[in-house]
Amino acid sequence: MSLKYYPIIAAVCANIIAQLLKPFFHYLKTGEKNLSLVFESGGFPSSHTALVVALTFALGYQSRFESDSFFISAVFSLTVIYDAANVRYYAGQNIKMTKALIQDFEALTQVKLDNPVYRQKIKDVLGHKWVEVIGGFLVGFITASIMYLLRR
């Protein structure tokens, strides 16, 4: 593998590995087989976190943690991780609450809301719990580290 492309290859591989692990960990947790989770966001481990962490560590390994690219990637990674664990997570919680309010309103008032916007299927698992982010961090770190050791 070319040292030039190592960071992007490590990042993409970490993302794919994290996505492939989602059905496996879902099965361990629930006993339910759901291979479609490979294509879903949310869940354990965070593929967003795995991707940015692998990219950051690969750039760090490549430059002995001294390049501008590494530091830019580290800041970018912290932003993505924070977003995955906080902003997107709470947006998902907001969607759940809004759905419940619509159901409660209809039940209490006996008024059926006819506007199609109230019936749209909106995904309510947008972000991650911190344990899912930590899982993604580990996938990214391990992927970048193994690939770095194997590229020699």
Side-chain angles (χ1 to χ4, degrees):
M1 162 181 24
S2 169
L3 186 61
K4 179 179 177 181
Y5 298 112
Y6 156 64
I8 191 67
I9 293 169
V12 171
C13 286
N15 187 292
I16 292 169
I17 291 166
Q19 286 300 122
L20 292 173
L21 287 172
K22 287 181 184 195
F24 174 73
F25 283 111
H26 179 76
Y27 178 76
L28 290 179
K29 183 178 179 182
T30 67
E32 173 189 318
K33 293 180 183 179
N34 186 353
L35 293 178
S36 70
L37 292 174
V38 167
F39 304 104
E40 298 287 329
S41 61
F44 184 89
S46 167
S47 58
H48 291 91
T49 303
L51 182 135
V52 296
V53 167
L55 177 64
T56 300
F57 274 95
L59 289 168
Y61 289 143
Q62 195 175 49
S63 70
R64 293 189 165 87
F65 298 93
E66 295 178 353
S67 71
D68 290 343
S69 297
F70 162 72
F71 289 109
I72 291 168
S73 183
V75 170
F76 171 71
S77 293
L78 291 173
T79 303
V80 169
I81 291 167
Y82 179 84
D83 180 69
N86 289 300
V87 177
R88 292 176 65 236
Y89 176 76
Y90 287 109
Q93 296 303 307
N94 193 347
I95 291 168
K96 285 181 184 177
M97 189 180 305
T98 302
K99 287 178 178 179
L101 285 171
I102 291 168
Q103 289 176 345
D104 291 346
F105 176 81
E106 288 180 339
L108 290 171
T109 64
Q110 299 299 311
V111 173
K112 190 76 169 160
L113 299 174
D114 293 335
N115 191 320
V117 74
Y118 297 119
R119 302 291 166 237
Q120 285 183 4
K121 289 195 180 231
I122 300 173
K123 184 176 171 95
D124 55 9
V125 180
L126 298 174
H128 295 282
K129 297 174 185 155
W130 277 104
V131 69
E132 297 166 340
V133 170
I134 292 167
F137 185 96
L138 291 172
V139 169
F141 172 73
I142 291 168
T143 301
S145 299
I146 289 172
M147 290 181 76
Y148 180 74
L149 293 173
L150 294 178
R151 67 156 189 82
R152 295 178 156 209

